[in-house]
Amino acid sequence: MLILLIFNNCASQIGPNLIDDEFETTVKEKLSYYLYYPDDYDKDSNTEFPILLFLHGGGESGQSLGETKKSGPPKLIVDGKKFPFLILIPQNPYPKKWWNTRAVKQLLDSVVSDNRVDKNRVYLTGLSRGGGAAWEMAVQYPDTFAAMAVVCGMTPLPYASWINKKMPMWVFHGAEDKSIPVEESETMVAKLKQMGYDVRFTKYENVGHNAWTRAYATDELYDWFMEQRLNN
């Protein structure tokens, strides 16, 4: 009897005990970036311009900022192409880490606030790892972007319904992609279309992971961006 009583007393003392508490986190990120201005930005101080946020791939992460000029709109700018909107080109500082999308959003908000940007014409695009981050930002910030183009990016299929249904999308992928299989985009596009989203899909036959060269050379893409406005 004495042994049983001691056991019962001990058992009652080591039961679960939940303690309420709080901890405030502080996360800082240093993002280097380029900001492109169209030629006529300074001609009329009353005009607001669209802006395109471009997220590069993993190969341009964590090195000098100049690495971002190797592909996508930054490369086209270096080659002499003119765009009718601002282009924000941040660099992911970590070679092996995912984009810090919260930090990118803070940078975007700051650039939009400090420049003559039409807040109803904020566009989003990314390739490879940056394409996956673009999908993520579309999910996290559904009321920010007027249109999005994703090139060979990993897709968050379970979160398809969280994307703004009024935001047009254009997806590009190479049929022979060995790094991120084309099925990633095919499945996501099929899901989105089934749910009534406005989404276009361009699949390049006999093209591997480097679908971005052809995708960003498509002039129609930039005309398509310019036609879109946020309509929440």
Side-chain angles (χ1 to χ4, degrees):
M1 288 292 292
L2 180 60
I3 295 174
L4 181 60
L5 180 60
I6 294 174
F7 177 79
N8 287 336
N9 288 339
C10 290
S12 65
Q13 293 175 7
I14 62 174
N17 189 9
L18 301 179
I19 301 174
D20 294 340
D21 205 347
E22 290 184 347
F23 180 79
E24 184 175 352
T25 62
T26 302
V27 179
K28 293 184 178 181
E29 188 74 87
K30 184 177 181 180
L31 294 174
S32 299
Y33 65 93
Y34 287 118
L35 183 59
Y36 168 86
Y37 290 90
D39 286 345
D40 54 348
Y41 181 82
D42 292 325
K43 292 182 180 178
D44 184 354
S45 60
N46 295 317
T47 301
E48 291 185 332
F49 288 78
I51 187 170
L52 174 67
L53 170 62
F54 168 70
L55 303 177
H56 63 72
E60 292 75 52
S61 299
Q63 305 177 60
S64 69
L65 182 60
E67 293 293 310
T68 61
K69 298 177 182 178
K70 289 184 175 181
S71 58
K75 184 180 188 306
L76 296 176
I77 292 170
V78 171
D79 292 342
K81 185 174 178 60
K82 305 293 184 180
F83 290 95
F85 38 67
L86 283 78
I87 304 179
L88 175 58
I89 309 159
Q91 184 183 39
N92 180 356
Y94 304 107
K96 301 296 183 181
K97 288 186 180 180
W98 196 247
W99 280 90
N100 183 339
T101 53
R102 292 182 63 185
V104 172
K105 180 58 163 56
Q106 291 178 32
L107 172 61
L108 175 63
D109 289 345
S110 176
V111 169
V112 168
S113 176
D114 292 343
N115 293 274
R116 297 196 320 275
V117 172
D118 185 344
K119 296 180 177 62
N120 291 316
R121 302 175 76 189
V122 178
Y123 309 129
L124 173 63
T125 189
L127 65 89
S128 193
R129 191 188 304 180
W135 283 117
E136 184 177 339
M137 292 194 73
V139 169
Q140 292 174 323
Y141 309 104
D143 300 325
T144 296
F145 303 104
M148 175 178 70
V150 177
V151 183
C152 60
M154 292 179 289
T155 58
L157 184 64
Y159 306 129
S161 60
W162 295 6
I163 299 172
N164 185 352
K165 269 199 170 183
K166 298 179 181 179
M167 183 185 71
M169 292 169 275
W170 195 341
V171 179
F172 301 82
H173 218 120
E176 306 301 323
D177 194 332
K178 298 296 190 291
S179 298
I180 301 176
V182 68
E183 288 79 15
E184 287 269 338
S185 290
E186 289 177 329
T187 304
M188 186 62 155
V189 168
K191 179 68 172 178
L192 290 169
K193 286 185 175 181
Q194 178 185 2
M195 298 172 65
Y197 284 84
D198 178 4
V199 55
R200 303 171 65 170
F201 182 45
T202 299
K203 181 168 69 172
Y204 298 119
E205 299 297 335
N206 302 314
V207 172
H209 191 48
N210 184 7
W212 51 83
T213 297
R214 291 181 61 178
Y216 288 113
T218 305
D219 287 335
E220 184 186 355
L221 172 63
Y222 308 109
D223 295 336
W224 173 82
F225 269 131
M226 291 293 289
E227 294 170 357
Q228 316 304 329
R229 297 185 64 88
L230 193 63
N231 184 25
N232 291 326

